[in-house]
Amino acid sequence: MASSLKKLITSILLFFFYTIIVASSEPSCRLYKSIISFGDSIADTGNYLHLFDVNHPPQAAFLPYGETFFSVPTGRNSDGRLIIDFIAEFLGLPYVPPYFGSQNVSFEQGVNFAVYGATALDRAFLIEKGIVSDFTNVSLSVQLNTFKQILPTLCASSSHDCRKVLEDSLILMGELGGNDYNYPFFEDKSINEIKELTPLIIKAISDAIVDLIDLGGKTFLVPGSFPAGCSAAYLTLFQTAKEEDYDPLTGCLPWLNDFGKHHDEQLKTEIRRLRKLYPHVNIIYADYYNSLYRLYQKPTKYGFKNRPLAACCGVGGQYNFTIGEECGYEGVGYCQNPSEYINWDGYHLTEAAHQKMAHGILNGPYATPAFNWSCLDAASVDNESSFGS
């Protein structure tokens, strides 16, 4: 009896030992083979450039946009690379081409539907709410429906099953929602009116994630908002003579930054809900707010000039920004060294800021849960130079 019990215990221990060995031998790091992107100008690698009215080209069609890295305008709203570009570099993937205007789109290249001016909510809904600014009609739902329409073609060009291809892709969901807020803020809507949009924006992002999960998506990077109270455009729009209205450390507007935190808290709550519903899916929250705000808090630590709130490219006022006389317009100058600036054109960031943000997200601590790069070369992961020169 004692001998039989001993054998049973030994068998159980061996089983658990074998299970642990097998589990630990499975790769815990996923090597993404493609990037699929949705969003607005923060991730637009040239879509809007191909969608605009030829008689009214966008600002990003002209230098100095693109001058730092690409030497020519590419439709990116920066002097160089965006966060999505640094993510692609880090993963050893090609820069994700814009879908609109591209030929022979494939998963091998990745595919990007993000469009400058895009909103999470549909244009018709915003118009019903009295929000009439109109940069593009390519909202999140339009981007997602376009992806669904071309998915059979994309999958046909791959040697793998469609769901497997999506499973091996990193799906970048945004940044989304920024323009849903920008338009009413610049139309002088009240903050209470604007806050009513937040749960609707979160639902639109959540619904899109669920749709993509149903198609086979397994890994989502979902960015939060930016500290709008530090942007040259908002600082100019809401400029005040009251010193107490500004953060004494950064010079940013705290009430606007608090609005961004309000959005982010609701987004994180929804992401936690989705994780419980879909435990087999990795939904990563990208803390764009804090990955950027630290640069304003300690700019010189990260290689930027002290109090880097002014736009590098612009003209006029305390923040080198004037509505209607913006970067890309004739006669508007730009700084000699964009790498010393965080703000590029008043609305968007410099390549240098994007690089620091991407490093903080991919290597932590600004991604929840953190990426696991255990299967990559440790030197390439830890060294910030892996994000390009």
Side-chain angles (χ1 to χ4, degrees), residues 82-332:
L82 309 177
I83 294 171
I84 186 175
D85 296 315
F86 287 110
I87 292 174
E89 284 184 8
F90 181 85
L91 296 176
L93 298 173
Y95 295 133
V96 187
Y99 166 71
F100 299 100
S102 291
Q103 303 294 325
N104 302 318
V105 178
S106 69
F107 274 123
E108 285 70 25
Q109 290 288 315
V111 59
N112 188 0
F113 299 93
V115 178
Y116 170 83
T119 51
L121 301 173
D122 288 339
R123 174 186 168 195
F125 175 83
L126 292 172
I127 291 174
E128 284 180 12
K129 290 286 187 180
I131 300 165
V132 297
S133 293
D134 180 25
F135 280 87
T136 176
N137 190 30
V138 190
S139 63
L140 175 57
S141 68
V142 174
Q143 294 176 29
L144 184 59
N145 287 334
T146 304
F147 175 65
K148 289 178 180 178
Q149 289 169 12
I150 69 163
L151 188 56
T153 304
L154 282 170
C155 294
S157 67
S158 173
S159 58
H160 297 287
D161 171 77
C162 200
R163 294 186 70 85
K164 174 63 176 171
V165 172
L166 277 167
E167 182 179 322
D168 289 338
S169 299
L170 176 63
I171 303 175
L172 180 57
M173 296 299 301
E175 182 261 2
L176 283 158
N179 289 316
D180 300 73
Y181 298 132
N182 290 338
Y183 298 152
F185 267 124
F186 278 81
E187 291 175 10
D188 201 28
K189 305 289 186 185
S190 73
I191 194 165
N192 288 332
E193 285 180 275
I194 300 170
K195 274 189 175 181
E196 291 177 0
L197 298 174
T198 302
L200 304 174
I201 292 167
I202 302 302
K203 185 179 186 303
I205 296 169
S206 177
D207 288 348
I209 292 171
V210 171
D211 275 359
L212 290 161
I213 291 173
D214 290 341
L215 293 170
K218 280 291 183 70
T219 306
F220 296 82
L221 184 64
V222 187
S225 64
F226 287 83
C230 302
S231 84
Y234 273 104
L235 284 164
T236 300
L237 180 66
F238 293 108
Q239 192 165 0
T240 170
K242 297 178 181 178
E243 189 175 333
E244 62 270 22
D245 288 344
Y246 297 88
D247 183 322
L249 175 62
T250 63
C252 302
L253 289 166
W255 70 269
L256 263 171
N257 287 343
D258 288 343
F259 181 85
K261 293 176 186 176
H262 162 77
H263 168 94
D264 289 350
E265 286 306 315
Q266 291 202 29
L267 179 61
K268 286 187 282 187
T269 298
E270 180 61 16
I271 289 173
R272 286 192 290 267
R273 188 187 74 84
L274 290 176
R275 286 179 188 143
K276 290 179 181 178
L277 286 175
Y278 303 97
H280 63 292
V281 176
N282 189 16
I283 305 175
I284 303 166
Y285 172 72
D287 187 358
Y288 276 19
Y289 182 97
N290 285 303
S291 63
L292 175 57
Y293 192 62
R294 63 184 168 131
L295 308 184
Y296 293 111
Q297 290 176 309
K298 298 179 179 179
T300 56
K301 176 183 175 180
Y302 297 102
F304 300 103
K305 63 188 294 187
N306 194 36
R307 278 298 178 99
L309 295 173
C312 165
C313 183
V315 63
Q318 183 177 344
Y319 304 103
N320 200 37
F321 177 84
T322 304
I323 293 175
E325 298 181 58
E326 298 159 21
C327 187
Y329 288 6
E330 188 176 351
V332 176

